[in-house]
Amino acid sequence: MKKFKKVLAATVAATMLISMAGCGGTTADDTAETTTENTASAEDGGSSETPADLTSNEGVLVWATNAEFPPYEYHEGDSVVGIDAEIADYIGEQLGLEVQCEDMAFDSIIPAVVSGKADLGIAGMTVDPDRLENVNFSDPYVNAGQVIIVAEGSDIATADDLAGKTIGVQLGTTGDQYVTENITDATVERYNKGFEAVQAVQQGKIDAVVIDGEPAKQFVASAEGTQILDEPLTEEEYAIAVSKDNEALLNEVNKILAEMQENGKMAEIVNKYLGDNAEAVDDGATQESSDEAVETTTAA
């Protein structure tokens, strides 16, 4: 996963004029008049706790991320902005809580949620069995996938051509996991930031990068001489990590995500950053209800 040169800044800055204060842009004053109807009574099958009781620090919703993953989370000046940042702010607003962001290494996010340092992990994070051993996940909110980045003119044309190659990944991501477990005789080079891996391809230090599709587009736009292979490597779903000890918060998050799909807020946020690359799809197969989820196209 997951500044770029001025190309990315120019591309995204125009979309940011309306919103996004910073990492943790929602304040207590902003949400003082927000109702707390999302907290259902125990009789209705929801939580009997007030929103302030749902978090480790009373009245504050802390979300952990790795802000090196545009357009989901990235730095703009001193702020962390992007799709996930707006989702976090919206959840906090609906719960009437102040929102605070903790920017950290990607592989530190789940430990932060487990320890209570963060209430939520929102980082373009894919649900997988290993992660489910440590945290619970919300219903998925975006369909995504891994793609392959290579240098223009590379002899790598399909996933089968990755065998025996040197492949860059971001440490701790599903791209890391996939390459480690599925690519025969590959040499895996792990980077703390996704763009560092793409730079290594650009410089001829490695043969390819496996990384999430939408950030890949941003990286390639800023890395001359690189390209994304047409066929996605995997199909995945992004969801929000929540402590196994906080089912009440998980229930509230799921209700808010469902409302966002139903009232169009999720599509509004995603389309703001992805435009024509985003479309609503029927996600009934992956959710108990037939709510719509947002699909992001990963093929170049």
Side-chain angles (χ1 to χ4, degrees), residues 20 22 29 33 48 50 76 85 93 105-106 115 125 127 145 150 154 160 166 172 198 201 217 267 269 282 293 298:
M20 307 310 297
D29 289 340
E33 297 181 358
S48 60
T50 66
E76 187 173 83
E93 178 184 341
F106 184 79
S115 68
M125 188 175 292
V127 180
V150 297
S154 171
D160 292 339
T166 301
V198 178
V201 165
K217 294 177 183 178
I269 291 173
D282 184 4
T298 57

Side-chain angles (χ1 to χ4, degrees), residues 1-2 64-66 69 72-73 84 104-113 120-128 131-132 135-142 144 146 172-174 212 236-242:
M1 208 184 130
K2 358 168 213 113
T65 196
N66 175 236
F69 192 54
Y72 290 92
E73 43 269 324
D84 286 341
M104 59 186 67
F106 184 79
D107 60 353
S108 297
I109 295 172
I110 287 182
V113 173
L120 304 176
I122 317 179
M125 188 175 292
T126 304
V127 180
D128 68 38
R131 291 171 181 164
L132 282 169
V135 295
N136 288 328
F137 278 97
S138 71
D139 294 331
Y141 62 91
V142 166
Q146 302 292 310
T173 62
T174 50
D212 295 67
E236 303 170 356
E237 296 173 320
Y238 292 164
I240 298 173
V242 186

Side-chain angles (χ1 to χ4, degrees), residues 85-104:
E86 294 209 24
I87 291 172
D89 280 350
Y90 188 86
I91 291 172
E93 178 184 341
Q94 297 308 298
L95 292 175
L97 300 174
E98 177 184 349
V99 177
Q100 177 181 318
C101 174
E102 292 290 339
D103 183 16
M104 59 186 67

Side-chain angles (χ1 to χ4, degrees), residues 14-262:
T15 68
M16 301 308 304
L17 297 177
I18 300 177
S19 70
M20 307 310 297
C23 194
T26 303
T27 67
D29 289 340
D30 294 332
T31 60
E33 297 181 358
T34 303
T35 64
T36 58
E37 294 176 358
N38 289 304
T39 304
S41 67
E43 295 178 357
D44 294 331
S47 169
S48 60
E49 301 177 73
T50 66
D53 296 329
L54 297 176
T55 58
S56 296
N57 298 310
E58 185 174 346
V60 180
L61 181 71
V62 179
W63 66 289
T65 196
N66 175 236
E68 303 290 345
F69 192 54
Y72 290 92
E73 43 269 324
Y74 59 97
H75 292 277
E76 187 173 83
D78 294 330
S79 300
V80 170
V81 298
I83 294 171
D84 286 341
E86 294 209 24
I87 291 172
D89 280 350
Y90 188 86
I91 291 172
E93 178 184 341
Q94 297 308 298
L95 292 175
L97 300 174
E98 177 184 349
V99 177
Q100 177 181 318
C101 174
E102 292 290 339
D103 183 16
M104 59 186 67
F106 184 79
D107 60 353
S108 297
I109 295 172
I110 287 182
V113 173
V114 171
S115 68
K117 180 179 180 180
D119 301 301
L120 304 176
I122 317 179
M125 188 175 292
T126 304
V127 180
D128 68 38
D130 290 339
R131 291 171 181 164
L132 282 169
E133 290 181 3
N134 296 293
V135 295
N136 288 328
F137 278 97
S138 71
D139 294 331
Y141 62 91
V142 166
N143 296 330
Q146 302 292 310
V147 299
I148 303 167
I149 298 176
V150 297
E152 293 177 353
S154 171
D155 61 356
I156 298 173
T158 69
D160 292 339
D161 298 328
L162 292 175
K165 301 294 187 180
T166 301
I167 305 169
V169 297
Q170 184 174 4
L171 177 66
T173 62
T174 50
D176 183 354
Q177 180 180 350
Y178 183 90
V179 171
T180 301
E181 296 178 356
N182 295 283
I183 306 301
T184 304
D185 298 326
T187 300
V188 184
E189 295 288 342
R190 295 176 173 86
Y191 298 82
N192 287 322
K193 300 177 181 180
F195 81 87
E196 294 175 344
V198 178
Q199 287 179 332
V201 165
Q202 188 181 30
Q203 296 164 0
K205 296 179 180 179
I206 60 177
D207 298 308
V209 173
V210 171
I211 199 164
D212 295 67
E214 290 302 330
K217 294 177 183 178
Q218 306 278 2
F219 295 147
V220 167
S222 299
E224 185 178 354
T226 63
Q227 64 180 12
I228 302 171
L229 298 187
D230 289 338
E231 186 176 351
L233 185 62
T234 67
E235 294 183 359
E236 303 170 356
E237 296 173 320
Y238 292 164
I240 298 173
V242 186
S243 169
K244 286 183 175 290
D245 296 327
N246 200 344
E247 188 171 350
L249 179 59
L250 177 65
N251 290 338
E252 294 301 324
V253 168
N254 278 335
K255 284 194 292 183
I256 293 169
L257 290 177
E259 290 167 4
M260 293 177 74
Q261 302 287 6
E262 184 176 349

